[in-house]
Amino acid sequence: MEYTAEVRIELKSGVLDAEGETVGKSLKLLGFPVKGVKSVKVYDIVIDAVSEEDAKKKAENAAKKLLANPVIQNYFIHVKKI
Amino acid sequence: MEYTAEVRIELKSGVLDAEGETVGKSLKLLGFPVKGVKSVKVYDIVIDAVSEEDAKKKAENAAKKLLANPVIQNYFIHVKKI
């Protein structure tokens, strides 16, 4: 069966989000009443798995092995059946 | 009042997603049963607005003016009250 796994990768709190800061400053300069911006990377993965738990486990392994840097990033996974 | 606007920026269909392709190939090489990967950029923005509609309008303007490239990208906005 096929599942989509949304892997959401955020910087850990305390790690400087240079992209978010820059976007926030630019939006303020353009006149938007912005209090803060956080930049997030998302990968939508279509994955073969026998169950939702299996798909989640595989996506977690993928995040650990390739997608996220555990020193500075947290990841959150959301699995849906297609 | 403060709202969070999640601005989700995706490549339009037909536009080459080089990052997604590369991640997909790498995951396959690592043995993951992946059918496809789409890379998505998300900005979580904290914004001052008088209502949810106002916050959505402001986030849409921000996406149009700065965050997304309308030639190759689509954006989707999700607003929540904090």
Side-chain angles (χ1 to χ4, degrees), chain B residues 31-66:
Chain B
F32 289 101
V34 162
K35 302 271 172 166
V37 176
K38 189 168 77 175
S39 77
V40 180
K41 184 76 219 179
V42 172
Y43 295 103
D44 284 342
I45 303 176
V46 178
I47 200 162
D48 239 356
V50 293
S51 67
E52 209 167 303
E53 293 77 49
D54 183 40
K56 191 163 184 182
K57 225 175 90 183
K58 280 174 176 158
E60 265 187 20
N61 269 327
K64 261 188 223 160
K65 285 197 184 159
L66 186 79

Side-chain angles (χ1 to χ4, degrees), chain A residues 41-67:
Chain A
K41 185 75 218 181
V42 172
Y43 295 103
D44 284 342
I45 303 175
V46 178
I47 200 162
D48 240 356
V50 293
S51 68
E52 208 166 303
E53 294 77 50
D54 183 40
K56 191 163 185 181
K57 224 174 92 186
K58 280 173 177 160
E60 265 186 22
N61 268 328
K64 260 188 223 157
K65 285 198 183 156
L66 186 78
L67 305 174

Side-chain angles (χ1 to χ4, degrees), chain A residues 2-3 14 21 23-24 27 34 37 57 66-67 73 77-78:
Chain A
E2 286 189 356
Y3 294 83
E21 294 277 324
V23 168
L27 286 173
V34 161
V37 176
K57 224 174 92 186
L66 186 78
L67 305 174
Q73 292 171 322
I77 291 164
H78 218 88

